[in-house]
Amino acid sequence: HVQLVESGGASVQAGGSLTLSCAVSGATDPLICRTWFRQAPGKERERLEIIYTHSGKAVYGDSAKGRFTITLDNARSLLTLEMNNLTPEDTGSYTCAADWDRIQCAKEEYSFWGQGTQVTVS
């Protein structure tokens, strides 16, 4: 039973920084891809970035480029999202997702999801 648990969400002032974490437990096979999503109030969920665990290659969405950095600690199965220069537009629920199937990763259909952590920027 794979579980993803996010942490680190908080209320911060505009211009501030925040680091979110996503911990994994129960995975019997290596996770091939891991991602962060954000859903702002009244908006559709958007993918911020995806990282492929074997290569370490990360692909950032437009909203994350330049301000957000994703880091993967394979030894601890810990994925972090460092966010800098936050604005009120970054307010939302941040959720991590993952999959251990290459095809699912390619289709962006992830089998495993966390519950989300709230970030509020004012």
Side-chain angles (χ1 to χ4, degrees), residues 4-89:
L4 276 63
V5 179
E6 303 93 340
S7 61
S11 295
V12 297
Q13 291 189 338
S17 299
L18 202 60
T19 298
L20 307 181
S21 297
C22 175
V24 174
S25 62
T28 56
D29 290 311
L31 297 172
I32 292 177
C33 62
R34 298 185 65 174
T35 71
W36 279 103
F37 284 84
R38 173 176 71 193
Q39 186 160 22
K43 295 186 178 181
E44 293 188 357
R45 185 172 62 197
E46 65 171 322
R47 194 186 74 188
L48 296 174
E49 62 277 298
I50 182 170
I51 187 167
Y52 298 93
T53 60
H54 289 89
S55 65
K57 177 183 177 182
V59 179
Y60 291 87
D62 290 340
S63 298
K65 288 179 181 177
R67 296 188 301 126
F68 294 2
T69 303
I70 190 171
T71 303
L72 177 64
D73 182 343
N74 268 321
R76 297 191 296 158
S77 296
L78 189 67
L79 184 71
T80 61
L81 178 65
E82 179 182 350
M83 305 184 292
N84 298 305
N85 195 22
L86 290 164
T87 72
E89 288 67 37

